[in-house]
């Protein structure tokens, strides 16, 4: 049986991550891919890195995983930097840009935001040309001998689940485990290659948001009010 759970954007929310990992195991799924942004926003980045290392078969890097490694004079960013270990930084630095997987004759590509950058944001309402560009190869992703374009693309970054089918493939955003902005429940996706064709399923998982906010309070998370609005109401802090 070939089922892979695809998680993304944990953002230091260990409470949500533990709930999602439990749900995945209850479904008997042993393979987990993570699409980045393990840290940032939430208070337990280092603990989330440890859980991801223990539970995920493959992991790609997200924008937070990249810029947290650079020097910063921003007090908010510095708070997260100071709570990562040297091993955490080494792990984040080791993460690849994308994963390519062949399943039932289809090429499936996994990355954080776009095939060109961890920082390029592609939203469901962007022009169709921009959404179709998600199937393109780039200098970073072009690792296939025959320059084959992906049939299915999974990504994260925007914290909102959606699936769109085009003539040249399926584009799927798996949403966010720890900082969901469509519904306040944690989200992830499953790709099931058990039969001759691949199928995709979205899963929503309830978790104790109040407990997560209490942990953030105890750890003196900066801008707690913004984290509260995101966790409790799905209200993006930069909206």
């Amino acid at each position: 049986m070939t089922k892979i759970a695809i998680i993304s954007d944990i953002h230091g929310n260990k409470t949500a991550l533990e709930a999602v990992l439990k749900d995945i195991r209850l479904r008997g799924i042993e393979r987990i891919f993570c699409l980045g942004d393990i840290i940032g926003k939430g208070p337990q980045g280092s603990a989330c890195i440890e859980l991801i290392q223990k539970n995920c078969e493959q992991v790609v890097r997200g924008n937070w995983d990249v810029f947290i490694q650079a020097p910063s004079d921003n007090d908010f960013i510095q708070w997260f930097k100071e709570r990562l270990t040297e091993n955490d930084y080494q792990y984040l630095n080791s993460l690849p840009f994308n994963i390519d997987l062949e399943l039932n004759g289809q090429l499936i590509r996994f990355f954080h935001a776009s095939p060109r950058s961890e920082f390029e944001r592609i939203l469901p309402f962007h022009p169709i040309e921009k959404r179709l560009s998600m199937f393109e190869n780039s200098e970073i992703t072009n690792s296939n001998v025959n320059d084959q374009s992906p049939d299915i693309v999974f990504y994260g970054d925007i914290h909102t689940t959606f699936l769109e089918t085009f003539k040249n493939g399926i584009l799927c955003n798996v949403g966010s485990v720890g900082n969901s902005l469509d519904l306040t429940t944690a989200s992830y996706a499953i790709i099931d290659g058990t039969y001759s064709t691949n199928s995709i399923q979205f899963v929503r998982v309830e978790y104790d948001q109040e407990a997560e906010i209490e942990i953030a309070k105890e750890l003196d998370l900066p801008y707690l009010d913004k984290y509260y609005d995101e966790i409790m109401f799905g209200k993006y802090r930069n909206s």
Side-chain angles (χ1 to χ4, degrees), residues 19-177:
V20 165
L21 291 174
K22 181 180 178 181
D23 188 86
I24 291 169
R25 298 308 181 200
L26 286 173
R27 294 171 188 269
I29 300 173
E30 297 180 356
R31 304 183 70 187
I32 307 173
F33 288 5
C34 176
L35 306 188
D37 273 8
I38 306 168
I39 56 93
K41 294 194 172 188
Q44 297 188 85
S46 186
C48 287
I49 289 174
E50 183 179 357
L51 282 173
I52 292 297
Q53 284 183 286
K54 286 180 179 178
N55 290 279
C56 294
E57 178 181 326
Q58 297 205 55
V59 183
V60 300
R61 62 181 183 258
N63 52 295
W64 267 89
D65 308 320
V66 171
F67 73 66
I68 200 70
Q69 300 179 59
S72 174
D73 56 5
N74 182 297
D75 290 341
F76 179 65
I77 302 300
Q78 195 63 32
W79 190 91
F80 296 100
K81 288 178 66 68
E82 291 171 355
R83 282 155 182 80
L84 297 181
T85 68
E86 187 60 38
N87 286 339
D88 292 335
Y89 281 110
Q90 290 176 5
Y91 176 70
L92 294 177
N93 188 52
S94 74
L95 297 178
F97 179 80
N98 69 287
I99 304 163
D100 278 359
L101 174 74
E102 292 273 359
L103 189 62
N104 287 327
Q106 290 186 309
L107 175 62
I108 305 170
R109 180 163 291 160
F110 307 83
F111 48 69
H112 180 68
S114 92
R116 294 163 293 275
S117 170
E118 304 91 347
F119 296 89
E120 182 184 13
R121 187 147 292 160
I122 307 292
L123 296 160
F125 53 80
H126 275 154
I128 190 167
E129 293 81 11
K130 203 163 187 177
R131 285 173 280 144
L132 287 173
S133 77
M134 297 290 270
F135 298 94
E136 295 175 356
N137 289 321
S138 70
E139 290 184 3
I140 311 177
T141 64
N142 191 7
S143 58
N144 298 289
V145 176
N146 298 319
D147 291 341
Q148 180 184 357
S149 298
D151 301 292
I152 303 174
V153 168
F154 285 98
Y155 77 113
D157 184 56
I158 63 173
H159 301 204
T160 302
T161 56
F162 83 94
L163 185 148
E164 192 166 8
T165 303
F166 303 95
K167 287 184 178 180
N168 57 331
I170 296 172
L171 179 62
C172 179
N173 192 288
V174 304
S176 171
V177 168

Side-chain angles (χ1 to χ4, degrees), residues 198-231:
N198 299 316
S199 62
I200 298 169
Q201 176 186 0
F202 289 109
V203 182
R204 308 300 304 214
V205 181
E206 299 276 357
Y207 73 96
D208 193 340
Q209 284 102 326
E210 294 283 1
E212 173 62 18
I213 294 300
E214 284 303 312
I215 292 168
K217 284 181 182 177
E218 291 170 8
L219 295 175
D220 202 23
L221 177 74
Y223 296 102
L224 179 64
D225 57 332
K226 295 184 183 295
Y227 189 58
Y228 180 91
D229 285 346
E230 287 180 332
I231 294 301

